[in-house]
Amino acid sequence: MARPLEFDRSKAVDRALVLFWRKGYQATSLADLLTAMGIARSSFYTTFTDKRSLFIECLELFSKRTLGMLQSACAEMPPIDALQSFFERSFTSLRGAGSARGHWGCMLVNTVLEMAGVDDDLASRASRLIDDLQPIFQACLEDAGATPARAEELAAMLVLFNEGVRVSSRRRLPEAQNLQTIATTFRFVRGNIE
């Protein structure tokens, strides 16, 4: 009979996600994970198998939360406002209460950059999860009145813009500068909906 978990799995995964997001896959040691998660080595291996499996679970959770944030914005406001708010909120909300998270970028983008040419499977997984944003971007743009072809072009541009904004956040540029770039991009988007 298997022993019941002696820790809150969900909280442990959340703590691992934050650690991986901040430090990256390679710089996060098993000792770092055990300390952050508050679990013993035996519990770690029994529950998560290995560091790589846990990292993949964290990537997928990060993606799910990101998509949820975007879908919530789309449900709460007009389509283009929702897209702009997604970029602004995901950048500014991470900085609240003195948090440095606004400078961590995006865990998915960070993984592509860190693992490309090192572990192409992890880089590809993260890349596919980033691509999941495009259909939602496209649907919002079509809801705003863009033709399907124009919506597809603009959605692809926004995926690339998303990657750039996330890398830029790691440069620790002034928040106002990043927000101005987002505003400029969405003036362009609004002006190119047919």
Side-chain angles (χ1 to χ4, degrees):
M1 182 168 149
R3 290 179 55 191
L5 289 180
E6 296 178 6
F7 63 93
D8 184 324
R9 188 183 193 288
S10 176
K11 287 181 182 176
V13 171
D14 279 342
R15 291 178 188 134
L17 185 152
V18 169
L19 187 62
F20 281 133
W21 182 11
R22 182 172 56 87
K23 293 182 72 171
Y25 178 73
Q26 296 179 98
T28 300
S29 68
L30 180 58
D32 293 336
L33 286 167
L34 297 177
T35 299
M37 297 168 78
I39 63 174
R41 184 180 299 264
S42 60
S43 294
F44 177 87
Y45 285 117
T46 300
T47 306
F48 302 106
T49 308
D50 58 23
K51 174 181 157 181
R52 181 186 178 83
S53 298
L54 175 60
F55 185 74
I56 290 169
E57 183 176 340
C58 289
L59 279 178
E60 291 170 358
L61 179 59
F62 187 93
S63 175
K64 180 181 174 184
R65 289 177 177 170
T66 301
L67 294 174
M69 188 169 63
L70 176 56
Q71 290 165 333
S72 291
C74 290
E76 295 169 3
M77 57 188 74
I80 302 301
D81 293 345
L83 291 175
Q84 184 169 348
S85 173
F86 166 74
F87 283 93
E88 292 170 348
R89 288 190 322 186
S90 62
F91 179 75
T92 59
S93 67
L94 298 174
R95 291 200 154 164
S99 172
R101 288 186 184 186
H103 296 298
W104 295 355
C106 166
M107 185 178 176
L108 303 174
V109 173
N110 294 348
T111 299
V112 171
L113 295 172
E114 176 189 7
M115 302 312 290
V118 175
D119 185 328
D120 289 331
D121 179 59
L122 286 180
S124 293
R125 282 176 185 268
S127 182
R128 285 191 303 271
L129 292 170
I130 292 168
D131 289 342
D132 289 345
L133 290 168
Q134 187 164 336
I136 300 171
F137 289 164
Q138 186 169 340
C140 279
L141 291 160
E142 287 181 23
D143 287 349
T147 63
R150 180 53 56 94
E152 184 177 2
E153 290 173 349
L154 291 171
M157 181 198 79
L158 288 176
V159 170
L160 290 175
F161 177 68
N162 179 62
E163 293 168 359
V165 165
R166 306 312 170 201
V167 171
S168 177
S169 71
R170 295 196 59 121
R171 293 180 54 207
R172 298 183 180 266
L173 297 173
E175 183 176 305
Q177 184 176 345
N178 284 296
L179 292 175
Q180 181 58 48
T181 300
I182 292 168
T184 300
T185 299
F186 279 91
R187 275 196 305 276
F188 174 82
V189 168
R190 283 181 172 88
N192 281 278
I193 292 179
E194 297 175 339

